[in-house]
Amino acid sequence: MLTLVTGGAGFIGSHIVTALLEAGHDVRVLDALLPAAHGDHAEPPVLPAGADWRRADVRDRAAVEDALRGVDAVCHQAAMVGLGKDFADAPDYVSCNDHGTAVLLAAMAATGVRSLVLAGSMVVYGEGRYACTRHGVVRPGPRRVADLDAGRFEPPCPECGDPLAPGLVTEDAPTDPRNVYAATKLAQEHLAAAWARAADGRAVSLRYHNVYGPGMPRDTPYAGVAALFRSALAHGEAPRVFEDGAQRRDFVHVRDVAAANAASLGALAGGPSGGLRTYNVGSGTVHSVGDMAAALATATGGPAPVTTGEYRLGDVRHITASSARIRTELGWAPAVGFTDGMRDFAQAALRGTAAPAPA
């Protein structure tokens, strides 16, 4: 089985390439090596033996069609990630994520490739699941600048204003993207679903939680928070934790994410066509952002984290989800626990980057 991995030289994509080769797949890599993930003077990557390398942008229709020749399935990882710097990044996010996905899907329809694993994201949910003692499960409204400025970070019940208890989101929860990146990730799912119906394709979207591990990009506003904390510690600086550090997240190791992609490809081979199936991909354990910063500081022997009270309006307070569906349907389970994963990540090499740009 020949699998094309778009963005296969990047952080998550490179781990997927390794996992697929180890599982016996033939692998072709398509990656533009853009600066946010690879630095300004990126050279062709050192890929595992057996991987076929193509340098091209996923928005280049001719290059994509050429890369799809003989391919049985696609793992689509190429994307611009993170919140970026400000709303001025919106055109780049839409171009990379949505236009790029549309070009890929059109090329797949034209070349007869009918299996897709999409790199989705838990950001499509917006805020997580909340329950009020008086009103049951509720959905809090957008966070207000006045509340955040005053240090009131917890969303109140939209009915009575009482405190809420956060819980786990399942895949059938309503979507509510609250920043540009989230909106583009949801649009990718809609495009994939439309392609599956029109082309009689099989599609899975893996809604990744907070992925961390070796090879994360550093020193860029597009990196994940784990890499930003690691970069600070590498410079002998204290990690700066926004809000009060109590934001709940699910930190999942990149090797577990790669294994979820391999499991999805196996399921697609004999699964039903004409639709999109979504799966949450998380470790199943809930930790705060402050927990993660403290674990990295301890493991590196660096300075303790500093809680700043700063915030980004596009962030959500709590988002953790149940990964029961993928465990039950695909037999996937995470293998790397939080403590061991953070200890290893604290010493792992990061990917050097320069000026940020779409990746």
Side-chain angles (χ1 to χ4, degrees), residues 163-196:
L164 298 173
L168 301 181
V169 175
T170 56
E171 289 89 348
D172 56 359
T175 53
D176 184 19
R178 297 197 175 190
N179 56 60
V180 170
Y181 171 61
T184 65
K185 295 306 289 183
L186 183 56
Q188 283 185 309
E189 290 193 353
H190 290 318
L191 287 167
W195 164 82

Side-chain angles (χ1 to χ4, degrees), residues 65-76:
E65 288 197 3
D66 183 64
L68 285 169
R69 297 185 189 281
V71 163
D72 300 294
V74 175
C75 281
H76 182 34

Side-chain angles (χ1 to χ4, degrees), residues 142-338:
R143 303 175 86 186
R144 300 190 306 168
V145 170
D147 288 336
L148 297 172
D149 284 343
R152 295 188 294 269
F153 301 120
E154 294 290 345
C157 174
E159 302 293 333
C160 65
D162 283 356
L164 298 173
L168 301 181
V169 175
T170 56
E171 289 89 348
D172 56 359
T175 53
D176 184 19
R178 297 197 175 190
N179 56 60
V180 170
Y181 171 61
T184 65
K185 295 306 289 183
L186 183 56
Q188 283 185 309
E189 290 193 353
H190 290 318
L191 287 167
W195 164 82
R197 289 190 294 270
D200 196 31
R202 301 178 178 91
V204 161
S205 178
L206 300 178
R207 291 174 174 173
Y208 302 157
H209 281 257
N210 290 72
V211 186
Y212 72 98
M216 288 191 81
R218 60 178 173 83
D219 298 332
T220 163
Y222 301 91
V225 67
L228 297 178
F229 291 165
R230 268 291 318 276
S231 295
L233 289 163
H235 290 97
E237 302 169 357
R240 294 175 60 83
V241 182
F242 280 16
E243 301 185 20
D244 58 1
Q247 308 95 301
R248 291 161 52 102
R249 297 291 188 269
D250 183 328
F251 299 100
V252 59
H253 197 277
V254 66
R255 288 199 298 272
D256 288 330
V257 170
N261 277 266
S264 298
L265 284 172
L268 281 175
S273 60
L276 173 76
R277 186 69 166 161
T278 58
Y279 294 102
N280 293 325
V281 179
S283 71
T285 61
V286 176
H287 294 275
S288 71
V289 174
D291 290 340
M292 190 255 293
L296 290 175
T298 298
T300 60
V306 174
T307 302
T308 69
E310 298 171 90
Y311 64 86
R312 297 186 300 181
L313 190 59
D315 277 337
V316 298
R317 179 59 175 174
H318 304 299
I319 176 62
T320 56
S322 168
S323 296
R325 176 184 286 181
I326 191 171
R327 292 171 181 250
T328 300
E329 295 186 6
L330 303 189
W332 171 88
V336 183
F338 179 81

Side-chain angles (χ1 to χ4, degrees), residues 57-131:
D57 195 302
V58 75
R59 292 166 289 186
D60 182 338
R61 174 69 179 267
V64 171
E65 288 197 3
D66 183 64
L68 285 169
R69 297 185 189 281
V71 163
D72 300 294
V74 175
C75 281
H76 182 34
Q77 308 296 311
M80 186 172 177
V81 301
L83 285 183
K85 294 177 292 184
D86 53 42
F87 201 84
D89 287 326
D92 287 333
Y93 275 102
V94 173
S95 177
C96 286
N97 297 357
D98 299 338
H99 178 61
T101 297
V103 170
L104 171 67
L105 294 172
M108 289 175 67
T111 56
V113 181
R114 296 290 183 262
S115 293
L116 172 72
V117 179
L118 173 67
S121 176
M122 53 80 181
V123 296
V124 301
Y125 297 116
E127 286 286 354
R129 184 182 188 275
Y130 292 88

